[in-house]
Amino acid sequence: LQPGHGVAGLEPWCIVQPSGACLMATGLAAINLAVAGHVELFLGFDYGEKRCGMASGNRLTASATPLPTVAAVGQARWDLIALRVKEWAPHALVVGVPYYQDGAPHDNTRAAQKFARQLGGRFNLPVFEVDERYSTTEAHRLGAPDADAASAFIILEQFLASLHVPH
């Protein structure tokens, strides 16, 4: 699920399909429509080149829990993520995608989007891209001992909260 650049709650969203295709929808209600009722368990990701924060979350309780950060690159990273996917058996994945303050994309935006496409392809699960501006700043402000895991937690909790917005 990836926000476009519009008024909060009215922007278009991209739901990344396992094929890598982008299904467009509009408004916060689109989030609820995009996440079918059977999708209850999620893994959230705060992508970084060397470290990848992770969190698990549950739609029913609209809550998330930070998981240990994956501090690996290349195939070692994918192996560790695969273990988590097997352990938690999520129905969908959520990836935070960073943007500049004005909403413009940058190199890390494209890297996180590529990571989201790779996740969908590797694990054949729906992947929702969400705007993660300020999640790391918030994690540091809260004094989190593992800012990457805390960022993934913040990203996933915000996503889960959005599923309970009345439409």
Side-chain angles (χ1 to χ4, degrees):
L1 196 61
Q2 176 185 344
H5 308 295
V7 177
L10 300 176
E11 61 270 303
W13 292 85
C14 171
I15 300 128
V16 181
Q17 304 299 302
S19 67
C22 179
L23 174 65
M24 293 302 292
T26 303
L28 290 176
I31 299 170
N32 278 321
L33 294 173
V35 184
H38 68 280
V39 179
E40 296 290 335
L41 303 175
F42 298 86
L43 281 180
F45 296 85
D46 178 42
Y47 172 79
E49 283 186 30
K50 297 179 183 173
R51 298 171 49 85
C52 189
M54 291 185 69
S56 64
N58 180 310
R59 181 182 189 160
L60 182 63
T61 61
S63 64
T65 303
L67 299 173
T69 291
V70 173
V73 296
Q75 189 57 46
R77 172 184 287 203
W78 290 113
D79 291 346
L80 291 170
I81 291 172
L83 288 173
R84 297 265 176 86
V85 169
K86 183 177 180 182
E87 176 184 0
W88 289 94
H91 301 125
L93 309 172
V94 177
V95 176
V97 178
Y99 292 90
Y100 283 119
Q101 188 173 355
D102 67 0
H106 51 76
D107 289 344
N108 288 341
T109 305
R110 289 177 280 284
Q113 290 170 327
K114 179 180 178 183
F115 176 72
R117 287 189 306 273
Q118 290 173 325
L119 278 172
R122 284 177 182 262
F123 301 110
N124 198 30
L125 290 168
V127 179
F128 298 90
E129 294 181 9
V130 298
D131 186 336
E132 64 118 338
R133 275 179 277 185
Y134 310 115
S135 64
T136 302
T137 302
E138 179 68 7
H140 285 295
R141 188 187 70 74
L142 295 172
D146 181 344
D148 298 305
S151 294
F153 161 79
I154 291 166
I155 291 162
L156 189 51
E157 281 231 326
Q158 288 175 348
F159 174 79
L160 291 168
S162 74
L163 297 180
H164 294 278
V165 173
H167 44 277

